[in-house]
Amino acid sequence: MVIKRLAKNNNDKNQVYIHKSIGVFNSMFSLKFNERDESSSTTKRASKPGKKIPEAVFTKFSWVSSDSSLHEVKSCKAILYAQYPETRLSGFQTIHNEMPRSMSIEFTKIEGIPPRYLAIGATKSGDAVAMMIVDPSAQFEEEFDGLENAVSSGVIKSSALGKADNRTQDLIVLLKEKVAGQTLLGCRLDKDGNTIPFTGTQVCGYTLEHALGIKPNADKDGDIFGIELKAISQKKVTLFTPEPDGGLYKQSFPDFMKKYGYLKGTDEYRFTGIHRANSRNEKSGLTLKILFLNKGKAKDEFFESEYDPSKSIDKQSRNLRVSLVDDQGFEAATWSFERLLNSWGVKHNETVYYPVKKVLNENASGIEKGYKFLVEFDSKALWCQKTQISKLFNAIHDGTIILDPAPKYVESNPKLNKRRSQWRINDIYRDSAKLYDEVELIDL
């Protein structure tokens, strides 16, 4: 939970400054970031500053009233102003056009306005629950002053009240009971909750979800108790698979594949090979870079710069993007700051990597029923907690996270086309500490 002492002019019409970094909120709350227009810069200084301001909409933001009922807000947004940098909140009215009176313009015009505090807590799935605290007791103000500052902020305080949630321990107990050290039939749950055999490449993950009673889904929430759960069969792990939202890849997938891919057969184009930051891939001729718009000395002067991990990501967030750049400086494919924020957020703030092994089922009766595989579950799991978007960018920059793409374009049969941008880490056991503050191999 974060708490801020509001200034007199903080109200529904004037945005509330909350933090310099939008990434801090992204690791606490479930947010949907609006993504920028495509970028196809061909020169270092040709970019213009007229880019969209990054903004994130809370998946769910509600006011809690004195009777503990929740009142959902229409669209509360966190808006990042990269030139400062700072993040401000706006949009506090509920779907019924209501809000706390103490957040209204009329209230802030009162002479001798009493002290106000805005408190925002996060549920285990990242929903925001907020309340206004007006004219509190001296004891409250004293305790507020004694709270720790939120990450890299002297403006908002953080409270550990949320740690009363025992979701981590609940999941440990469930894993011990349902899967640890066991060998289970390869299966999954269907949409109605029935058990059915499964023989696809995701058999390990589906079998784990089945054991815990989780129906298969492709949303961005954590798999269980708000915790992301990944079944891993090797130390090399795919972290996420967002597609580019800019560059030639976005503008024309066929043109990208023909220009940077290679021909396999008569009309099938492939694009493969490890792309590591600041290292040219000989097969594609592309170099993976992290770029942003830097402020020049003149008022409206901006120029392209490369990301520097020794500096604050907040000061490099203007048009920040990961890009595949060719030898002429053309950005063939780009992943915007917003696209990556959408892929690396609150659901990754607690992630469990569970070691598994897929083996052939040798039981004839089981095979007859469709259970081709068995899944063996380890007795230990890698538990990772607390991450930030800066950790993600730093890990891409130093080559810990690599792009291992595998798209395919078949000119004569578009049905065979596939797009696959895999962002991977070569050794999750060795390098997880670069992505998370807390890493522990838990014996189940």
Side-chain angles (χ1 to χ4, degrees):
M1 180 173 69
V2 295
I3 309 176
K4 173 181 168 63
R5 180 187 283 122
L6 297 180
K8 181 176 181 179
N9 64 344
N10 287 156
N11 54 49
D12 182 49
K13 296 301 180 183
N14 294 323
Q15 297 172 346
V16 176
Y17 169 70
I18 198 72
H19 201 278
K20 69 179 182 180
S21 171
I22 207 167
V24 170
F25 259 33
N26 193 42
S27 64
M28 296 176 59
F29 301 99
S30 177
L31 303 171
K32 173 63 178 176
F33 288 82
N34 294 323
E35 292 160 3
R36 298 173 181 161
D37 292 330
E38 301 160 9
S39 171
S40 56
S41 173
T42 57
T43 64
K44 287 292 183 182
R45 300 179 68 86
S47 299
K48 297 179 181 179
K51 293 287 181 181
K52 293 181 180 178
I53 297 175
E55 66 174 23
V57 179
F58 285 82
T59 301
K60 191 172 184 180
F61 187 107
S62 303
W63 290 108
V64 59
S65 59
S66 56
D67 63 359
S68 299
S69 60
L70 296 178
H71 307 266
E72 188 173 348
V73 169
K74 295 177 185 176
S75 180
C76 185
K77 300 176 181 179
I79 304 171
L80 173 65
Y81 295 89
Q83 65 268 35
Y84 299 118
E86 64 182 40
T87 299
R88 304 174 190 169
L89 298 184
S90 69
F92 297 110
Q93 290 198 356
T94 71
I95 55 179
H96 299 297
N97 296 317
E98 302 169 330
M99 65 176 175
R101 177 173 172 268
S102 53
M103 186 58 86
S104 68
I105 294 178
E106 290 73 23
F107 191 88
T108 55
K109 290 181 179 179
I110 296 175
E111 187 174 349
I113 179 174
R116 298 174 301 150
Y117 295 80
L118 171 62
I120 311 176
T123 68
K124 62 184 180 182
S125 60
D127 293 346
V129 179
M131 66 183 302
M132 294 291 293
I133 302 166
V134 182
D135 198 17
S137 66
Q139 180 182 351
F140 174 93
E141 295 192 327
E142 182 180 344
E143 291 180 358
F144 171 82
D145 291 336
L147 290 175
E148 293 183 1
N149 290 334
V151 179
S152 304
S153 174
V155 177
I156 59 174
K157 303 280 190 175
S158 63
S159 169
L161 290 176
K163 290 187 177 179
D165 183 355
N166 291 320
R167 59 183 184 173
T168 298
Q169 192 59 41
D170 290 343
L171 182 54
I172 289 174
V173 171
L174 195 58
L175 290 174
K176 284 183 177 181
E177 177 185 341
K178 300 293 186 179
V179 299
Q182 298 184 41
T183 299
L184 303 177
L185 293 170
C187 61
R188 70 176 179 88
L189 291 173
D190 65 14
K191 63 179 181 180
D192 297 318
N194 300 310
T195 299
I196 57 174
F198 187 76
T199 60
T201 56
Q202 296 175 294
V203 62
C204 294
Y206 279 141
T207 303
L208 175 58
E209 291 182 348
H210 174 273
L212 302 179
I214 305 169
K215 292 182 181 179
N217 65 81
D219 63 28
K220 292 186 179 296
D221 292 330
D223 289 325
I224 185 167
F225 305 142
I227 300 172
E228 176 73 356
L229 192 57
K230 284 181 175 287
I232 59 172
S233 57
Q234 56 183 345
K235 61 184 180 181
K236 186 174 185 177
V237 174
T238 298
L239 296 173
F240 49 64
T241 58
E243 286 293 292
D245 58 341
L248 182 61
Y249 188 105
K250 172 70 172 179
Q251 296 164 0
S252 174
F253 179 66
D255 288 346
F256 171 90
M257 293 298 292
K258 289 181 179 181
K259 185 172 183 179
Y260 300 108
Y262 59 90
L263 194 59
K264 183 178 181 180
T266 56
D267 68 343
E268 180 179 310
Y269 292 86
R270 297 290 185 97
F271 181 79
T272 59
I274 300 300
H275 290 73
R276 183 175 276 105
N278 306 312
S279 178
R280 185 179 186 274
N281 181 282
E282 295 301 323
K283 185 184 291 187
S284 68
L286 297 175
T287 303
L288 189 69
K289 295 184 177 182
I290 307 179
L291 304 171
F292 73 102
L293 267 182
N294 209 344
K295 180 74 172 67
K297 294 182 179 180
K299 181 180 179 181
D300 294 322
E301 181 187 12
F302 295 87
F303 58 95
E304 295 285 13
S305 293
E306 295 192 15
Y307 178 77
D308 184 348
S310 68
K311 298 179 181 178
S312 169
I313 192 173
D314 307 311
K315 296 182 179 179
Q316 303 175 85
S317 58
R318 184 187 294 272
N319 198 22
L320 180 62
R321 63 203 184 277
V322 177
S323 182
L324 285 173
V325 183
D326 67 17
D327 295 338
Q328 287 70 48
F330 181 79
E331 297 184 42
T334 63
W335 291 259
S336 69
F337 185 39
E338 293 85 350
R339 172 60 60 96
L340 293 174
L341 279 166
N342 280 331
S343 298
W344 192 262
V346 66
K347 81 162 195 170
H348 285 282
N349 215 33
E350 183 168 5
T351 304
V352 178
Y353 298 91
Y354 204 110
V356 296
K357 183 179 180 181
K358 179 179 73 173
V359 297
L360 287 172
N361 186 5
E362 297 180 354
N363 181 283
S365 62
I367 295 173
E368 287 180 4
K369 296 176 182 177
Y371 295 101
K372 181 180 178 181
F373 297 110
L374 300 175
V375 180
E376 298 176 351
F377 291 89
D378 204 306
S379 60
K380 295 182 180 180
L382 188 66
W383 220 282
C384 303
Q385 299 186 72
K386 297 182 181 179
T387 187
Q388 297 258 347
I389 192 65
S390 58
K391 289 183 178 291
L392 177 69
F393 274 84
N394 290 348
I396 294 174
H397 181 272
D398 69 17
T400 299
I401 295 177
I402 57 174
L403 174 64
D404 188 8
K408 178 173 69 173
Y409 172 66
V410 183
E411 196 162 23
S412 61
N413 190 354
K415 291 183 179 180
L416 297 177
N417 294 348
K418 67 177 182 179
R419 305 190 184 201
R420 184 176 296 172
S421 299
Q422 301 167 137
W423 294 89
R424 290 176 164 170
I425 187 167
N426 278 326
D427 191 334
I428 189 65
Y429 297 99
R430 180 191 66 199
D431 295 327
S432 53
K434 293 184 178 181
L435 290 175
Y436 303 91
D437 290 339
E438 300 175 7
V439 175
E440 183 181 2
L441 190 61
I442 293 182
D443 191 343
L444 300 171

